[in-house]
Amino acid sequence: MSDDGLFPVELVQPETDDAGPRLVAPGAVHVPGWLTFEQQRWIVARFAEWTQGPVPLRAATLPGGHQMSVKTVCLGWHWQPYRYTREATDVNGRPVLDFPDWMVRLGRKAVAAAYAPAIVEDASLNSLAEDYTPDAALVNFYDDGAAMGMHQDKDERSGAPVVSLSIGDSCVFRFGNTKTRTKPYTDVPLQSGDLFVFGGSSRFAYHGIPKVHPRTAPSECGLTHGRINITMRVTGLS
Ligand code: SIN
Ligand code: MN
């Protein structure tokens, strides 16, 4: 990964109990222990910078007045329920941070890892990584007790995959179907360093986080408590 600028290279992956990448649904792949601890710590340091502004970490308020328990800071495009804007018009009106080049490269590596031919037998997915160019990231912070209800990521005008990275406390990621927010779904345990990619026929599947397990973050990940999740998306906006 010599072309990744400051993004750290480390060959030692975190230990994981899991056997390896797993196809959860067509186009939906869980890759345990994908980020090294050094990479996780580096991203945690970037997170501390992103939360300094210009737009602070904030809990979005949904139409109807319900405030989310998860707090979010965005890169590239600011997400607010339910649209993307260049300025955080629902927070302080300030411009969103740029989407970093290193994260585009990381997103490509993530798609390549998840959609490798050994994992996904679908040529249209195997070839996606090269051109994958995410332009928005929602960086979520889950403090004790935070959760996220079942929803679809559908504010994008693109069917390109969503790349999800987790750092800190482990959680249950509920990955469902494209028709309803209820069963059938699969509960996937996500740990610090895990990658999850959902695209193809799972791109618009309902998903959510019913439970984060407090104080389960490994000390090496750089986060003392809570959970960071980054989802990279292609908005299809200009
Ligand atoms: C999301 O669906 O936007 C976040 C998922 C997660 O926290 O893993
Ligand atoms: Mn989502």
Side-chain angles (χ1 to χ4, degrees):
M1 296 208 290
S2 56
D3 62 343
D4 273 339
L6 293 171
F7 190 73
V9 177
E10 191 185 286
L11 297 176
V12 182
Q13 296 295 132
E15 298 225 342
T16 159
D17 299 337
D18 213 302
R22 182 164 86 99
L23 189 65
V24 172
V29 179
H30 175 207
V31 187
W34 188 67
L35 290 170
T36 67
F37 283 129
E38 186 185 3
Q39 291 167 342
Q40 293 172 51
R41 286 193 295 273
W42 193 84
I43 292 172
V44 170
R46 300 291 78 71
F47 174 72
E49 295 167 358
W50 298 332
T51 59
Q52 297 306 302
V55 184
L57 196 62
R58 68 83 168 84
T61 301
L62 304 176
H66 176 75
Q67 192 173 44
M68 294 176 72
S69 56
V70 173
K71 293 187 170 135
T72 310
V73 64
C74 300
L75 308 173
W77 287 90
H78 175 80
W79 179 81
Q80 52 183 293
Y82 289 100
R83 64 196 174 107
Y84 288 101
T85 52
R86 289 293 194 188
E87 285 89 32
T89 51
D90 63 333
V91 186
N92 61 2
R94 300 293 306 279
V96 68
L97 290 166
D98 287 341
F99 194 96
D101 289 347
W102 65 265
M103 198 178 278
V104 176
R105 292 190 288 267
L106 188 64
R108 287 183 185 157
K109 288 176 197 298
V111 172
Y115 289 166
I119 306 163
V120 173
E121 290 179 37
D122 180 336
S124 65
L125 297 181
N126 299 149
S127 62
L128 277 183
E130 213 174 304
D131 295 330
Y132 184 65
T133 309
D135 63 340
L138 275 64
V139 184
N140 290 324
F141 181 71
Y142 295 72
D143 216 332
D144 289 0
M148 190 178 289
M150 294 294 276
H151 66 278
Q152 293 165 296
D153 292 354
K154 60 177 185 184
D155 297 322
E156 302 76 26
R157 293 185 197 158
S158 159
V162 174
V163 167
S164 160
L165 298 172
S166 295
I167 300 174
D169 286 341
S170 57
C171 73
V172 177
F173 181 49
R174 182 161 289 173
F175 195 78
N177 63 87
T178 56
K179 302 259 178 331
T180 79
R181 38 170 51 84
T182 58
K183 288 182 177 176
Y185 52 68
T186 305
D187 280 348
V188 181
L190 290 185
Q191 297 188 343
S192 197
D194 286 9
L195 163 68
F196 197 99
V197 175
F198 54 102
S201 54
S202 285
R203 171 60 181 80
F204 295 102
Y206 283 89
H207 58 277
I209 301 285
K211 175 82 187 153
V212 176
H213 303 294
R215 293 170 301 282
T216 52
S219 57
E220 303 96 315
C221 79
L223 197 62
T224 52
H225 75 286
R227 170 174 184 264
I228 294 172
N229 172 260
I230 299 176
T231 47
M232 301 175 209
R233 299 119 187 267
V234 177
T235 63
L237 301 168
S238 54

